[in-house]
Structure formats: C-alpha cells, structure tokens
Amino acid sequence: MPASAAELIVDGLAHHRAHRLEEAATRFQAATDRDPRAAQAWRMLGLISQQQGRFADSLEPTRRALALERSASDLSNLANALTCLGRVEEALAAATEAADLDPALPAAQANLGVALRALGHREAAVDRFRRAAELEPRSAEAHANLGVALTELGHLQAAEAALETALTLAPSWADGWYNLGNARLRQLHLPQAEAAYRRAIALAPGHADAHANLAATHKALGRQDLALAHSADAARLRPGDPQVLQNHALTLAEFGRHADAAPVYEAAIALDPTIASLHTNLGSALQEWARTRNDTGVLPLLDRAILGHLAAIALDPGLLAARSNLGLALLARGRFAEATQAFEDAIARWPQVASLYSNLGQCLCDLKRYPEAEAACLRALELDAGMAEAWSTLGNVLVGRREHTQAEIAYRRAVELRPDMAGGWCNLGVALFRENRAAEAEAAYEQALALDPNLADAHWNQALVRLQRGDYAKGFDQYEWRLKRPGRLRDEAQFRQPLWDGSDLGGAAILVHAEQGFGDALQCVRFLPQVAARGGRVVLQARAPLKRLLERASGVDTFVTDGEAPPEVACRLPLFSLPRLFARDLAALPGQSPYLSADPELAAVWRMRMEGLSRAVPQGLADTAPSGEDGRRAWRASPLRVGIVWSGNVSSEVEQGRSIPLIAFSPLARPGVRLVSLQKGDGLEQLATAPFEVLDLGSDYLDGDFADTAAVLANLDLLVTCDTAAVHLAGALGLPTWLAISTVPDWRWLEARADSPWYPSVRIFRQQVRGEWGGVFAAMAEALLSSTTENADG
C-alpha cells in the first residue's frame, strides 16, 4: 500500500541528512500531496529550496508551514529568503517576530542582524550578531557576521578578534579569511591583510573579491605588477559586475595606464549605463591618456571625455568630479568660454572648493579677462593658500598682464609647494625669459623636462632660448615641438597629408602652409626655391593679404588662401619647419637676398599717389603745409623718404613691449626727412595727435594688402619700424631698414647684434632700459643726420 505522509517525511529526512536534496524534495512533495497539513514537509521544502539557492521558490512552502504552525525557525527561514531577494523590510518583520517567539534561537538573532545591517542599522545588527554568537559559540558564521558588522562600524580590533574566532572554528572558510583581510586592511596592517587574502584565494581561487582587495593591498604596498595582476583576475572572474570592472579600471589609471583603463570603463558602462561615476571616470581616463600624447589623436580623446562627463552630469547633477572634469576637458580642448561656464556652474554648487576657482582663473586668463582671472586665483588661494596650481595659474595671469617680476614670485611659490610640477617650472622659465634672463630660463625648462620629457611647451620655450643665442641646429630641431603644443594640435588636425622629411620629391606637389603671423611667413618664403630644387611643385597656402605678393615669389607654383582647398599634394610642411632643413647654422643665411620684389606697375601707381597726397599735419601747423602742386614738388624734392611703423598687434602673445608710442619717433622729424606712415590697425589713432608731420597714405593704403605695402616701400629710402611684419617685408625686399627692439626682443634678432643674418639690409637699434625708447631714437636721429648730410653733399 502507498506510504503515509509521516513515512514519506521520515524517508525525506534521511535523504536530506545524506545531502540527497532532490530525492528528499520528492519525498516531502509527496507527503504534502498525501496530507496538505503536513507542516514539517512544507518546512523542509522551503529549506531545500533555500539550500539550492532558489529563494523565491522557498517562500510559498515556508508560508504554508507558518500558516499551519507559527514557528520561530520558519519565520527565521522566511526572513533569510526575503533578505536574499532584497525584500529587506519584509525580512526585518519576519526576523523580529522570530526573535520575539524564541529569543534563544541563534538563527533568529542572526537573520534579524542581517536584516538590520542591510537597512543600515549597524549598531543594532552588532547586538543581534553578538547575541547569536553567545547562543551558539561554536558557530563560525555567527562570529563572522559579528566581525563583518564591526568592521563596517570601524571597530576594527574587535572585528579582527571575532573573525579570528570564526576561522578557528572553520579554518577552511574562504569568506572568513576574506573578511579577516578586510578588517586588517582597514587597520593598514598590510602584510597581515595580504596573508589573509592569499589564504582565501588558496581555498577559493575564483574568489573575485579577495583578488580585488589583494590588489588594493599590493597597491598600498607599492607593488604595481601584483596589484594589476590581481585586479585583472577579479575582472576576469566577474566580467559581468560593473563595480569590479570599475575597480580594475581605477587600478590601471592609478598606475598611469589610462589607455588600458578606458576600454574597461566602457565595458562596465555597457553592463550598466546608469552609474554616473563610470562615465566621469571614463572621461578622466581619456583626459589623462590625452596628456601622454603629443599628436592630433588627443582631440577625439578629449571630445569623448567631454561626452562622458556630460553623461555623468545627466545621471547625477550633483557629482562634483563630473562638473570639474568637464571644465578641464573643455579647457584642454580650447573651448574656453564653455569651460568658464562649466566652472562657474560648479562654483554655484560648491563655493568652497578651491580648485574650481583656480581652474576658472585659467579659463579667464585664456580669454584675456585678466582682472576676473586674478580674482578667481586669489579666491582659490584664500581657500587654500598651499594650492600650487592656483599659484601657477596666478603667474599665468600676471604674464598675460606683462607683470613678469610678480609672475616669477607666483611661479616660484608654486614649485616650492610642488617641486614635481613640470608645468610650473616651464611657466617660471617663460617669466624669466621675458625678463631677459635666458640662462635661468633654460635651467627652469631643463627642470621641467626632467620631470616630464614630453612637455611640449617646455621643449618649445627651450628652443626659443637656443635660437636666440644662435644655436640653430638644436634650436630648430626642438622648435618642431611647437606642432605638439595643445593649441597648435587643433590646427594640425585639419591636415591629413604626411609631413615632408626633406627628401627628394620627385616632381610631386607639396603643400607648404603659413603659420603664426604675417612676418613669420615673409621670413620663411626665402626657402621655397630650395624646396623646389628638391623636385617639388610648391603649393603655398597663406592668408589672403599675402596672396598678390607671394604668388609671384620664387619657388611658388600655386598659391591658395587659408580656407581654400588646395590641389592634391603628396605631403606638407609648415613654413617655419623649413629653417630646420635649410638653416642649420647662421652661415646658411640669408640665401638669396633680396628674395621678394614689389610689382613694378603697382609701385609706379603708388609713386603717383604719394606725389599727389597732402601731408597729414597736426592741428596748428596747417598754415605751414604746402598743398597742391607745391605739395607734389615737396614730395619729389624730399632728400630722404622714411616710412615708419610703431605698433604691432597689441593683443598678440608676442607683443611683450615691442610696440612703440608714435611720439618716440619725434627725433626723426627733422629737416630733409619726410616721414610716411605705413601703420595699420592698432596705434593708428596716434596719428591724429602727433606733434610732427607724417604723410598719411589714406584708405587706399589701409585697405590694401602686402603687395601694396611692398609697392609703397619701393618708393621709400628707409623704413624705421618696431618688430612687426613690416621689418620682414622690408628686409625681404632689401630696403634699408632700422629696427627698434625692446630689452626682451624676439629670438630671431639674436643677442647683442646690430645686424641680422636673416636680412642684410636691416640695422638693429636695441633698447637699453625697459620701456625707455629715448636712447634708441636719439641714436637713430644721429644716424639719420649723417644720412641726410651725405644726401645733401651728394
């Protein structure tokens, strides 16, 4: 006859004791079929489901058992299942009832502790775990639960003792060793933590958390290879856990392997795109990866970083790291206005974070909003006087305002606070160089490069020191680093052709493109015949005002303006990379001279115009000025026609005191000399108040291009100019030119020379005291007196 429910339960219990869970479950299910009121059978079905990890399946049989008999053990089992299912509030209610029904039931106390801990009530959980351990002192799990909760509360010595007790009872328990390692790691008992994690891994090689925390231990001990190896093991063992992947990526990033960290972050994001920290950490890794590169590949990396930070902010608008890093990425990308807004938005949320003000200061400095930039830096230093970055940024602001002495003080404070700050040393070098302290500047650049051999700005600035002293071989080699400077990379990204290495071109077309200012282009077109001599068909690309002048230049096959698509070419080279190939020393200069010429027909047109112009005479002198035919005869009779240029682009980075007040030219306004204004742009307004006569060439000249300027120069005897494009044009034309330069001149005028190897027709007059032009123009006036006397004698 069929077995009774009682007999099936007895048989099922025997199978259960023998760990034959499927056979046991079959017997208990059959018992409930025989007798739906068999509480023991329902209880065991629920327990077996839990033992098999099927917690949802355990709920119904456990509740059926409780409906038949309100048992503390059943309530405790129900609480355990609910906790494992994440239904913690329900678990807390069941575990509380179980503990109330039977305060001496260890499992009830333990499950109540688990529910309390899951809800963040750690102190209450510790009390329950301690009670469970007292009720069942031989339970390793009870002591382990107590140890874990004490670790989370920071009671680390007590936690370690509880966990050691657990492991005395169960020495082969991998999780116990893992938890003991955590308690030791929190106390920075690193060798002891390492030993515990290693024991956990020996017992359970697939224990991902033990590998992850052993990686953290090795990281704290400075063992990079071991840290990375165990971090990678954790990620390999748990590839579907975004937090484990994030921890591995953070380890990679901490050891500078940002390129390797980025795809790990991306894999974690693919698993869970809702975690904001993943997106901003990816952005940070991409930014740091970009710092290690000196090519146009940094631009897409920064663009991806910006998108990552924006995604993080969309998920968590209150994530400070995302907003700060967004600003830094925009700043690195050259999007200064957007970066400014990002930092201002962050400051509105976190007004006490010093770094936000420092970074805002750099954005404002790049926008040349110097008073606001200084205020931001000072606020950063008010919040944190020891922030080296803020001192360095303040130095940048002061350099922008040409307050180099004060900038030096700020930079020295920055590197004193952070001697490993390569950018701070480079910035200090800039301030020293602009104080005409080249040797000290070079020492600062050397220090910067010792700290960061790939710092493009330091290489470029050191190149300027070497070029200034005439070391062209080293100087022009290092000058190539200008192409890797952050701002320049944005320009280089538009080109797809390879750079020319100077080899024979075999008749192929080469794009030679202008860079920097007009003067730089005029200086370097001298080398184009040498490019053509190496078998190249030269396509010259430059700004439109140079077109009419340079399309006629020797060596130019085709001229295209900036923004105009060039014809198909095999390779390219920026114009200022040509000296590296063709001017390895001063003896290689000047090559052919003059190497540009004015259009004869245009020169004739300007001669007629200049003869027909009246003089621009200051108010009060008009009654002495000849006009009409008298004016034309006066022009033709002028023994010496002298063009003057007194100002460059005053907002240019290279301005640094090169422009001169027009009033300083007064000593040149003497009998027998006719001054002609070739000035355009900044400084032109000074003509209206000049206390001496200057011929104003009018709107035809102001609206003209460099071909017009060359044509005007062809009708002059001499040009007197500050350091601007005019000196390069006049030098290229071979016109006698007197150049007035400040105490801190541009590198190309070398040191202490009165001549220029670049332009044989240029004579240099050097300022002796910063800002004092009187001595320069007194010397010019004396030289001019000799010239006019010689003309008169002739």
Side-chain angles (χ1 to χ4, degrees):
M1 63 179 294
S4 67
E7 290 171 330
L8 287 167
I9 289 171
V10 170
D11 194 19
L13 290 171
H15 282 294
H16 188 263
R17 284 192 295 272
H19 302 289
R20 296 189 292 271
L21 300 184
E22 291 294 341
E23 292 87 342
T26 300
R27 303 307 189 273
F28 294 131
Q29 186 63 55
T32 61
D33 292 340
R34 297 280 189 279
D35 181 4
R37 296 185 60 78
Q40 179 71 347
W42 289 115
R43 178 179 300 117
M44 292 307 296
L45 282 171
L47 179 60
I48 289 170
S49 292
Q50 289 197 38
Q51 290 172 331
Q52 292 177 326
R54 297 183 293 108
F55 297 103
D57 293 341
S58 78
L59 297 180
E60 177 60 24
T62 303
R63 287 192 171 115
R64 292 288 293 267
L66 282 167
L68 295 165
E69 178 182 311
R70 209 67 180 169
S71 159
S73 62
D74 289 340
L75 285 164
S76 180
N77 288 340
L78 177 63
N80 181 62
L82 289 167
T83 298
C84 292
L85 291 168
R87 295 159 63 175
V88 184
E89 294 285 357
E90 297 173 75
L92 178 63
T96 300
E97 185 180 353
D100 290 344
L101 280 173
D102 187 355
L105 181 64
Q109 297 292 338
N111 284 322
L112 179 53
V114 170
L116 288 165
R117 176 174 167 245
L119 289 167
H121 307 309
R122 293 190 177 89
E123 293 282 3
V126 164
D127 291 340
R128 296 297 176 170
F129 290 140
R130 187 173 282 120
R131 179 62 178 149
E134 291 168 352
L135 290 168
E136 194 174 10
R138 301 295 299 172
S139 169
E141 186 175 0
H143 291 286
N145 283 337
L146 175 61
V148 170
L150 287 167
T151 300
E152 292 173 344
L153 282 171
H155 303 329
L156 300 175
Q157 290 181 334
E160 190 171 2
L163 290 162
E164 286 173 344
T165 299
L167 288 166
T168 301
L169 296 166
S172 298
W173 188 18
D175 276 348
W177 287 105
Y178 164 72
N179 289 325
L180 178 60
N182 293 345
R184 290 173 172 176
L185 182 59
R186 288 277 298 273
Q187 296 176 83
L188 297 181
H189 296 166
L190 301 179
Q192 296 86 345
E194 178 189 358
Y197 291 133
R198 285 194 179 280
R199 186 68 180 277
I201 291 169
L203 292 166
H207 201 304
D209 290 334
H211 280 286
N213 286 5
L214 181 55
T217 305
H218 283 306
K219 186 161 54 175
L221 288 166
R223 301 169 182 166
Q224 177 175 339
D225 291 344
L226 287 170
L228 289 170
H230 285 284
S231 176
D233 283 338
R236 173 180 54 79
L237 290 164
R238 203 178 290 167
D241 187 331
Q243 190 57 57
V244 171
L245 293 180
Q246 173 159 240
N247 290 339
H248 178 44
L250 287 168
T251 302
L252 288 164
E254 187 163 337
F255 288 115
R257 292 178 53 178
H258 304 290
D260 296 325
V264 181
Y265 282 126
E266 289 170 337
I269 289 170
L271 291 169
D272 188 350
T274 68
I275 301 175
S277 62
L278 284 173
H279 292 278
T280 196
N281 285 340
L282 169 61
S284 297
L286 292 167
Q287 284 169 255
E288 293 302 321
W289 183 7
R291 286 182 200 275
T292 67
R293 298 182 58 164
N294 293 116
D295 55 38
T296 55
V298 304
L299 304 179
L301 290 178
L302 291 172
D303 290 338
R304 287 167 59 196
I306 290 166
L307 293 176
H309 298 315
L310 289 172
I313 292 168
L315 290 165
D316 183 358
L319 189 58
L320 171 59
R323 290 189 178 273
S324 178
N325 288 328
L326 172 63
L328 290 171
L330 289 166
L331 177 60
R333 194 62 176 85
R335 293 160 62 175
F336 303 129
E338 294 170 82
T340 298
Q341 187 62 57
F343 287 121
E344 288 176 342
D345 289 345
I347 287 169
R349 287 174 173 267
W350 299 280
Q352 301 301 313
V353 178
S355 62
L356 296 176
Y357 292 94
S358 176
N359 293 330
L360 174 62
Q362 186 58 58
C363 296
L364 294 167
C365 180
D366 287 324
L367 290 169
K368 295 183 170 54
R369 292 161 58 180
Y370 297 122
E372 297 166 82
E374 182 180 24
C377 292
L378 293 177
R379 178 57 179 153
L381 293 169
E382 182 181 324
L383 292 167
D384 183 357
M387 178 175 283
E389 293 81 2
W391 282 106
S392 186
T393 301
L394 178 60
N396 294 343
V397 174
L398 293 166
V399 165
R401 295 203 316 219
R402 298 167 194 149
E403 298 174 21
H404 302 118
T405 301
Q406 294 304 309
E408 178 189 352
I409 295 170
Y411 290 138
R412 289 198 183 279
R413 180 62 177 146
V415 296
E416 176 186 343
L417 290 165
R418 264 196 56 195
D420 64 342
M421 188 180 184
W425 285 103
C426 177
N427 291 338
L428 173 61
V430 171
L432 292 168
F433 187 66
R434 291 181 179 178
E435 285 286 296
N436 211 21
R437 294 154 63 186
E440 294 173 77
E442 185 164 28
Y445 298 141
E446 290 287 358
Q447 181 63 32
L449 291 170
L451 293 165
D452 183 357
N454 289 315
L455 187 58
D457 277 349
H459 280 287
W460 180 72
N461 281 300
Q462 187 176 54
L464 300 184
V465 175
R466 290 172 168 173
L467 291 171
Q468 185 183 60
R469 65 169 175 255
D471 185 356
Y472 278 13
K474 290 181 181 178
F476 278 125
D477 281 345
Q478 207 168 12
Y479 197 67
E480 290 300 287
W481 279 87
R482 78 194 186 283
L483 305 181
K484 300 179 179 182
R485 298 180 75 202
R488 182 57 183 268
L489 286 175
R490 295 191 284 271
D491 296 330
E492 289 293 295
Q494 66 183 298
F495 297 103
R496 295 292 177 265
Q497 304 90 347
L499 292 171
W500 180 47
D501 61 4
S503 58
D504 188 271
L505 289 159
I510 176 174
L511 175 67
V512 181
H513 49 95
E515 52 178 323
Q516 305 176 114
F518 288 117
D520 302 283
L522 293 167
Q523 182 178 2
C524 290
V525 293
R526 71 179 65 225
F527 299 115
L528 295 182
Q530 290 164 275
V531 178
R534 294 195 179 178
R537 291 182 290 109
V538 175
V539 178
L540 175 62
Q541 185 175 54
R543 290 157 67 183
L546 291 168
K547 177 177 173 62
R548 284 201 302 160
L549 175 68
L550 296 186
E551 66 184 354
R552 303 171 52 253
S554 176
V556 176
D557 185 76
T558 304
F559 186 101
V560 293
T561 58
D562 284 352
E564 182 182 355
E568 190 70 26
V569 297
C571 55
R572 70 176 178 94
L573 202 66
L575 258 174
F576 234 117
S577 290
L578 293 174
R580 176 171 172 265
L581 299 175
F582 301 115
R584 300 296 291 176
D585 54 53
L586 293 174
L589 294 172
Q592 177 185 343
S593 184
Y595 56 89
L596 293 179
S597 61
D599 181 336
E601 293 184 6
L602 189 57
V605 169
W606 272 105
R607 182 170 59 254
M608 294 296 294
R609 286 178 180 174
M610 292 161 75
E611 288 176 353
L613 286 172
S614 299
R615 289 174 293 174
V617 184
Q619 189 173 2
L621 297 178
D623 54 344
T624 66
S627 59
E629 183 56 32
D630 290 336
R632 287 189 287 275
R633 282 197 298 272
W635 168 255
R636 288 193 294 271
S638 297
L640 200 63
R641 294 163 293 189
V642 179
I644 57 173
V645 178
W646 55 93
S647 180
N649 178 358
V650 297
S651 63
S652 168
E653 181 182 356
V654 299
E655 169 57 29
Q656 300 301 327
R658 66 175 179 165
S659 294
I660 306 168
L662 176 57
I663 188 68
F665 285 70
S666 297
L668 307 183
R670 52 177 298 102
V673 175
R674 191 67 183 278
L675 299 181
V676 181
S677 170
L678 273 68
Q679 183 66 44
K680 293 186 178 185
D682 294 332
L684 197 59
E685 72 286 348
Q686 297 177 45
L687 267 179
T689 56
F692 52 87
E693 299 179 16
V694 183
L695 180 65
D696 182 355
L697 297 179
S699 60
D700 285 341
Y701 173 74
L702 296 178
D703 295 338
D705 58 15
F706 277 90
D708 289 297
T709 305
V712 171
L713 287 169
N715 287 286
L716 300 178
D717 300 301
L718 173 69
L719 174 69
V720 179
T721 179
C722 66
D723 183 5
T724 188
V727 66
H728 297 282
L729 177 56
L733 295 168
L735 175 72
T737 303
W738 292 354
L739 171 64
I741 58 175
S742 71
T743 54
V744 188
D746 187 76
W747 63 265
R748 72 201 78 204
W749 308 121
L750 301 166
E751 296 175 327
R753 293 181 63 146
D755 67 327
S756 168
W758 290 88
Y759 304 112
S761 67
V762 170
R763 178 178 175 184
I764 300 172
F765 292 79
R766 295 178 181 267
Q767 191 181 67
Q768 299 303 307
V769 179
R770 174 169 289 187
E772 174 53 59
W773 292 105
V776 170
F777 284 91
M780 285 187 178
E782 184 177 347
L784 197 60
L785 176 61
S786 299
S787 298
T788 53
T789 301
E790 289 170 5
N791 285 349
D793 291 345

